[in-house]
Amino acid sequence: MASKIKYRIYPNPLPDEKGQTTYQVRHEPDGTMDTKAFLNHLERHNSFDSTAMMSALIVLKNEIVEQLKDNHRFRIDGLGTFQLKVGLKALTDEEGNTVKQSFSNPEAISARNVEVKGISFIPDKSIVDKLKKGVSTVNEAGRGVVGRSKQYERQEVINILNAYLAEHHFITRTTFRQLLGLTSYAAQKWLDQLTSEEFPKYVMQKEGNAFVYRRFGEH
């Protein structure tokens, strides 16, 4: 029996060149399997010793970090390639606002202006091809139904965001949107609210051509 890949339909935030509203489809995930759930899954199905798997994951994580520090890409056949991302450091002015560095002369850029920004992951074509096999798609909301953002209480959003940032240095708007199942408009509205409060818990910073969000005081 084919697996059912769930999706929903959402309007694009901006009209097309003719002024018409167009629509996109996005995956509708059923939650997240974190490390603890993954190890419990292995235990239940007796497919692999969870202690050995945890040790392997720790070794893998440390090896990825070491190889990236040595300026190597890290490729796992059949899975994908990890690559380091660097960019200009984000600066903070006297009022605590994030200031984007800008240079008109490349000779003015030195090592002190550059920092590690994150890690990019490029999936192996074979795993994408495997994912496409034996699946069908189904509209979670029903044919023709346009999705709307799920409604959250503020503390729910903070709890989800903090859980993600406990394992990652930052979050992008796209990841935030997908994590909470929001439209682009609703995701940006939440992020704007959380970064503009009187005592904000989060701060927006520019990384390359994109904005990322971190817990306030973390770099």
Side-chain angles (χ1 to χ4, degrees):
M1 182 177 179
S3 299
K4 296 286 187 179
I5 302 298
K6 299 177 182 179
Y7 69 90
R8 284 181 185 264
I9 300 171
Y10 293 91
N12 286 311
L14 298 176
D16 64 11
E17 63 276 5
K18 297 180 180 179
Q20 297 178 329
T21 298
T22 57
Y23 297 87
Q24 59 177 299
V25 296
R26 297 205 302 266
H27 178 233
E28 186 70 12
D30 288 330
T32 301
M33 175 173 275
D34 58 17
T35 303
K36 183 178 179 180
F38 171 56
L39 296 176
N40 288 337
H41 176 82
L42 295 181
E43 288 285 0
R44 289 198 306 271
H45 293 82
N46 296 315
S47 55
F48 200 85
D49 178 76
S50 61
T51 301
M53 175 58 76
M54 188 65 200
S55 297
L57 290 175
I58 293 173
V59 170
L60 177 60
K61 179 180 67 175
N62 291 338
E63 190 62 28
I64 290 173
V65 170
E66 288 304 312
Q67 293 301 322
L68 294 180
K69 283 184 175 180
D70 286 341
N71 295 295
H72 297 145
R73 297 185 184 91
F74 190 94
R75 173 176 171 78
I76 301 175
D77 292 341
L79 180 62
T81 302
F82 297 87
Q83 181 171 328
L84 198 62
K85 294 170 62 178
V86 299
L88 295 175
K89 286 182 180 178
L91 303 178
T92 304
D93 63 19
E94 295 179 353
E95 298 179 353
N97 300 312
T98 301
V99 180
K100 176 185 175 182
Q101 290 195 83
S102 179
F103 295 88
S104 58
N105 179 9
E107 293 184 0
I109 301 175
S110 66
R112 68 176 180 272
N113 304 118
V114 180
E115 68 178 356
V116 172
K117 293 295 187 179
I119 300 172
S120 63
F121 175 74
I122 304 171
D124 193 275
K125 182 178 182 299
S126 64
I127 197 172
V128 177
D129 291 341
K130 187 175 182 179
L131 184 60
K132 291 179 179 180
K133 292 181 179 178
V135 299
S136 61
T137 57
V138 58
N139 188 341
E140 179 71 356
R143 184 174 182 180
V145 177
V146 178
R148 295 182 178 179
S149 289
K150 180 178 177 180
Q151 299 300 308
Y152 288 94
E153 295 293 332
R154 178 177 177 278
Q155 193 57 48
E156 288 183 278
V157 175
I158 289 175
N159 290 344
I160 294 171
L161 192 52
N162 284 345
Y164 182 89
L165 291 175
E167 298 185 358
H168 304 81
H169 294 300
F170 60 81
I171 190 169
T172 63
R173 188 189 69 171
T174 298
T175 300
F176 178 79
R177 172 178 60 76
Q178 294 172 343
L179 196 63
L180 280 82
L182 301 172
T183 63
S184 295
Y185 172 79
Q188 191 62 61
K189 187 175 180 180
W190 268 114
L191 290 168
D192 288 345
Q193 175 184 327
L194 293 172
T195 55
S196 62
E197 296 174 335
E198 183 177 0
F199 302 103
K201 296 177 179 292
Y202 311 97
V203 62
M204 179 181 71
Q205 298 176 332
K206 188 72 179 295
E207 294 226 358
N209 294 322
F211 290 101
V212 300
Y213 299 82
R214 291 185 170 89
R215 279 186 286 210
F216 191 83
E218 295 185 359
H219 299 283

